[in-house]
Amino acid sequence: GVKPVSDETFALFARQLAYIPLTGAAEVVQRETTSTGSLREQVSLDAGYDGERLTIQVFLPADRKGPYQAVVYFPALNAFQSRASSRTYVAADYVVKSGRALILPVFKGSFERWDNALDATGEQYLRAARQRLLHWRQDLGRTLDYLDSRGDIVMDRVAFYGRSFGASMPLPLLALEHRFRTAIFYSGGFTYRTLPPEMDAANYVSRVKMPVLLLSGRHDYVFPYDTSQRPLFELLGTPASEKRHVVFYAGHDPLPRRQVNWDTTRPRPGIPI
């Protein structure tokens, strides 16, 4: 089995990924009703690094007022491979239909903030990925700071929802960001890439204690069941009664939509979403 690093080493990694809290106001730059009928607010705030701005798309149900449970979404690789628009991105719309707020931060390297840094190979790739994890730590922390400042979000019911790449590469951050109360990993698992210890999710997930739902395909070729999904699920520090691995007769992505909708939005004992 995988043996995570010691507490002393982990504390060093955590210091390297320390979060700098948000100062300064966020600005709502656009409001509209989307094609699926939800309300979209586009928010801009200081990213906290390199003079950059962080854009956050907030999707709210049109038919009810807050306070809302919120789901912060970390997208799959396609959001990092093209300059797609975060404004028209339709993903996990069933979250909004269930009466919750869906939060889509434009993480560094995705959507309008696309760059080709992760196209590098070898040592250059590792350097870029290391920097990227630092940026995502800030993006995630500032998103939660902003949600806390809104006044219409139930901050003790905030969930993380990662899909594929978003349920693999940013996993270390869930051991560091304690404001999430639950996490959903859609087609997630340990990456096939060889990463340095300070980026390797295997050194972090045993410190993740929140309830977790892992949804995956038995025939997933990106994150295979035996070598990627199961090791992640078993290493999670979440109590056994509060973690669940739902395995579909499917490949990597997509998974059966109706069943995913049901599993992610129905209330479950001990899992606060």
Side-chain angles (χ1 to χ4, degrees):
V2 180
K3 191 175 188 323
V5 293
S6 69
D7 288 344
E8 291 76 17
T9 303
F10 179 76
L12 177 66
F13 293 170
R15 277 201 300 279
Q16 290 173 344
L17 287 165
Y19 171 59
I20 303 155
L22 174 64
T23 54
E27 178 190 1
V28 178
V29 295
Q30 198 175 26
R31 276 193 182 93
E32 66 166 8
T33 302
T34 69
S35 58
T36 57
S38 56
L39 304 174
R40 180 181 68 83
E41 297 180 354
Q42 181 170 319
V43 179
S44 174
L45 48 88
D46 176 18
Y49 52 84
D50 303 340
E52 293 195 30
R53 302 289 291 177
L54 169 63
T55 295
I56 303 170
Q57 305 292 354
V58 178
F59 298 92
L60 302 170
D63 55 356
R64 58 162 294 206
K65 295 273 181 273
Y68 306 101
Q69 289 181 41
V71 177
V72 178
Y73 189 80
F74 200 113
L77 188 61
N78 57 349
F80 294 84
Q81 289 180 322
S82 66
R83 301 165 192 265
S85 169
S86 61
R87 294 187 296 279
T88 56
Y89 191 68
V90 179
D93 52 332
Y94 47 84
V95 169
V96 184
K97 289 190 174 76
S98 74
R100 297 170 173 90
L102 178 66
I103 315 300
L104 177 66
V106 179
F107 290 101
K108 175 70 172 170
S110 70
F111 298 112
E112 294 84 2
R113 301 179 73 198
W114 179 86
D115 60 36
N116 64 354
L118 294 186
D119 292 343
T121 55
E123 187 54 46
Q124 265 187 311
Y125 172 83
L126 294 178
R127 198 165 26 241
R130 214 178 264 125
Q131 192 66 38
R132 195 56 29 108
L133 199 61
L134 279 168
H135 291 153
W136 293 340
R137 174 69 190 102
Q138 296 303 318
D139 293 345
L140 208 51
R142 297 213 163 194
T143 297
L144 290 163
D145 280 356
Y146 166 68
L147 293 181
D148 198 14
S149 75
R150 284 179 61 99
D152 63 350
I153 300 295
V154 185
M155 289 307 291
D156 61 358
R157 302 290 287 269
V158 179
F160 174 90
Y161 189 154
R163 183 162 180 161
S164 184
F165 179 84
S168 180
M169 286 299 280
L171 289 178
L173 303 183
L174 294 182
L176 306 173
E177 182 47 83
H178 301 296
R179 287 175 285 182
F180 287 115
R181 288 297 179 265
T182 187
I184 298 163
F185 304 144
Y186 179 117
S187 293
F190 286 142
T191 181
Y192 54 88
R193 290 181 182 275
T194 303
L195 295 172
E198 70 272 21
M199 292 177 60
D200 188 343
N203 288 323
Y204 291 82
V205 297
S206 62
R207 277 111 176 158
V208 172
K209 311 292 188 188
M210 71 185 92
V212 171
L213 174 64
L214 172 59
L215 305 165
S216 47
R218 186 66 180 85
H219 305 290
D220 189 331
Y221 57 93
V222 179
F223 301 127
Y225 178 83
D226 291 317
T227 57
S228 177
Q229 299 170 29
R230 288 301 302 174
L232 166 60
F233 185 74
E234 286 163 7
L235 201 56
L236 281 165
T238 306
S241 62
E242 294 183 0
K243 61 180 178 178
R244 199 160 149 248
H245 188 187
V246 179
V247 184
F248 298 102
Y249 187 77
H252 176 62
D253 190 355
L255 302 174
R257 183 178 168 89
R258 179 185 276 175
Q259 291 162 271
V260 167
N261 294 5
W262 164 250
D263 275 305
T264 51
T265 58
R266 70 190 169 94
R268 292 180 302 285
I271 301 189
I273 178 176

